[in-house]
Amino acid sequence: MTEVSNLLGKERDDIQAIGKEAAIEFIAKCRERFDLSTELASIPEFLRLGLTDVAIAVAAGSPAFVLTADLQLYRYCLSSGLDAENFNHIRQGAWDNVEGLTPRST
C-alpha cells in the first residue's frame, strides 16, 4: 500500500482523491503482516532489489497482487511466478473509464 500511496501522489488531485478513497476502503479490509528486516536482508535478491522491494515480493507470495512502477521488481515478480502488473503499463488512459475524468495530457 505504500507503493500505491506513492504512485497516487504523482497523479492529479481528482485522481488522487478517488484513489485514496479506494485505498481507505481496501485498507479497512486488509490484515497487515510484516517481516523482520534481518530476515529480508538474508534473501539473495535483497542485494539487487533492496529492502522494500524484497518485502513486497515476499508478501506477494502469500498470495497477493503486486502493482509497481519499479521495473526490476516487476520483472522479478514475473520471473518468480508472482501476480504482478507494471503501473506504467496501465497508467496512461486508465482513467478513461472513470466518468468525468480524462488522462493528463503530456
Side-chain angles (χ1 to χ4, degrees):
M1 290 308 301
T2 302
E3 286 290 299
V4 170
S5 179
N6 290 341
L7 293 171
L8 282 172
K10 298 177 182 180
E11 295 297 335
R12 294 187 328 226
D13 290 345
D14 53 346
I15 294 173
Q16 281 187 38
I18 291 169
K20 288 179 181 177
E21 286 297 322
I24 289 169
E25 288 180 36
F26 179 77
I27 291 168
K29 298 173 185 175
C30 289
R31 181 179 52 86
E32 290 192 60
R33 61 164 283 207
F34 68 93
D35 296 288
L36 296 174
S37 296
T38 53
E39 292 174 7
L40 295 169
S42 70
I43 297 171
E45 289 76 26
F46 168 78
L47 295 174
R48 185 167 51 94
L49 298 175
L51 187 62
T52 300
D53 288 352
V54 165
I56 291 169
V58 167
S62 53
F65 172 75
V66 176
L67 176 64
T68 182
D70 184 312
L71 183 59
Q72 274 192 314
L73 175 59
Y74 173 65
R75 286 179 160 170
Y76 173 77
C77 288
L78 291 183
S79 70
S80 299
L82 302 173
D83 193 13
E85 183 62 60
N86 188 322
F87 187 72
N88 291 318
H89 295 164
I90 60 173
R91 180 190 316 243
Q92 189 63 31
W95 293 102
D96 286 340
N97 296 328
V98 178
E99 188 175 326
L101 296 179
T102 56
R104 175 176 26 200
S105 60
T106 54

